[in-house]
Amino acid sequence: MVVFAIGFFSVPHVFAETDDDTILFTDPGGWTIELPSDGSWVRGSTETVVFQTWNGESIIRILYLTFLTDRAFAETYGEATDRDIFNEIKQSNMFLCSEYYWTIEDPPFNWYGCFKFQDLGKEITYTNEGRKLQMMDVTYIIDGKIHSIDARIFDGRDFFAITSRTVIDGSKADPETLQQIKEIIKSLVILNPNTEPELEPEPELEPEPELEPEPELQTSIPDWIKNNAGWWANGQIDDTSFLQGISYLIQNNIILVPPQDVNSESSGTVPEWVKNNAGWWARDQIGDDAFVNAIQYLIQKGMIQV
């Protein structure tokens, strides 16, 4: 599943009382969410849309992302199954929790020193307005043990990535707190929702007689790799960390590329054009094939071990 372009909004917020139990938060980006009215949850002050408990032990981040083209929609959401979405949630969390990417900036979350990642299970449920909601519970350790709930809500070519963290006091997180977080996530309502685009059917190709196509290994790159390619191109991640990370992802079949022959020893220096390609790919100025060609070049030169 490849996301071609994403973005999030950082905008003023509006609160309004709805009843004795909840307060309605309205984001000008086009959605609302309900928080408990007892003051246990407050609006955070980070660049992203964040809510947190008054004692800081629990935090919820909401990212609104969008596909910019019909083709991107067709190649991702149009073909993505629940299994694909849960796999994306798990792999992205495991990726950020790996030692190769502890220095990644992912406000307001810190990943440095993350270890003992564990998938506790997944759940398919629905928001209060009836939208399908994929939700996964995971734990990991950063200073202390953390319970995270990560969820996805799709709306046409747009989707919401909702992530929470709760500090575990003892062996388990407070069940009431976790349930409250899930109820907050379920309360999200999309205002003026998008309608699904009408996709033009692709022309059918007639198979050539008496010829059978040879099977090929299809290139597959998860969408969240683009963020890291952009950070590398901008100097936020050094060459060694990025190359080790790509090697780890290929070895664990998270990135699939055709096999390559290593025909020379590594020079120890990544060519500038490779890093430029990574930056252009992260900004959607070149396609996946160009980025894969650069990765294959680094494999051939022995800079990426597979």
Side-chain angles (χ1 to χ4, degrees), residues 94-159:
M94 291 177 61
F95 176 79
L96 290 167
C97 196
S98 66
E99 61 181 309
Y100 298 116
Y101 289 95
W102 285 349
T103 59
I104 284 180
E105 294 184 8
D106 186 33
F109 300 139
N110 166 46
W111 292 95
Y112 182 78
C114 181
F115 70 106
K116 283 194 175 181
F117 175 90
Q118 183 178 5
D119 171 10
L120 299 184
K122 45 189 173 291
E123 173 186 5
I124 297 176
T125 183
Y126 292 87
T127 66
N128 296 344
E129 67 167 342
R131 295 186 183 278
K132 181 183 282 190
L133 174 65
Q134 293 91 357
M135 195 167 349
M136 177 177 286
D137 289 71
V138 302
T139 59
Y140 40 79
I141 296 178
I142 302 177
D143 296 330
K145 194 171 184 181
I146 293 173
H147 187 120
S148 175
I149 299 174
D150 209 342
R152 302 289 184 271
I153 301 174
F154 284 80
D155 168 42
R157 285 173 290 176
D158 303 332
F159 71 95

Side-chain angles (χ1 to χ4, degrees), residues 149-271:
I149 299 174
D150 209 342
R152 302 289 184 271
I153 301 174
F154 284 80
D155 168 42
R157 285 173 290 176
D158 303 332
F159 71 95
F160 289 80
I162 308 169
T163 307
S164 73
R165 278 187 178 182
T166 298
V167 177
I168 295 178
D169 183 11
S171 60
K172 294 183 178 180
D174 176 26
E176 292 185 5
T177 299
L178 299 181
Q179 183 60 34
Q180 188 178 64
I181 290 173
K182 291 184 177 182
E183 293 301 322
I184 292 174
I185 294 174
K186 290 180 180 180
S187 74
L188 191 144
V189 173
I190 301 174
L191 307 176
N192 302 318
N194 290 331
T195 58
E196 294 188 4
E198 296 182 2
L199 301 179
E200 295 182 3
E202 296 184 359
E204 296 184 1
L205 300 178
E206 296 183 3
E208 296 182 7
E210 300 181 359
L211 291 178
E212 294 184 1
E214 296 182 0
E216 296 182 356
L217 177 62
Q218 298 297 318
T219 300
S220 176
I221 309 177
D223 59 273
W224 37 270
I225 302 298
K226 281 198 172 183
N227 290 333
N228 304 287
W231 291 325
W232 179 50
N234 293 332
Q236 295 173 266
I237 301 175
D238 61 32
D239 292 354
T240 300
S241 297
F242 183 77
L243 297 180
Q244 288 178 340
I246 293 295
S247 175
Y248 171 85
L249 297 173
I250 294 175
Q251 291 172 14
N252 287 273
N253 295 321
I254 298 172
I255 291 180
L256 301 179
V257 297
Q260 302 294 313
D261 294 327
V262 180
N263 54 30
S264 64
E265 296 183 358
S266 171
S267 65
T269 303
V270 178

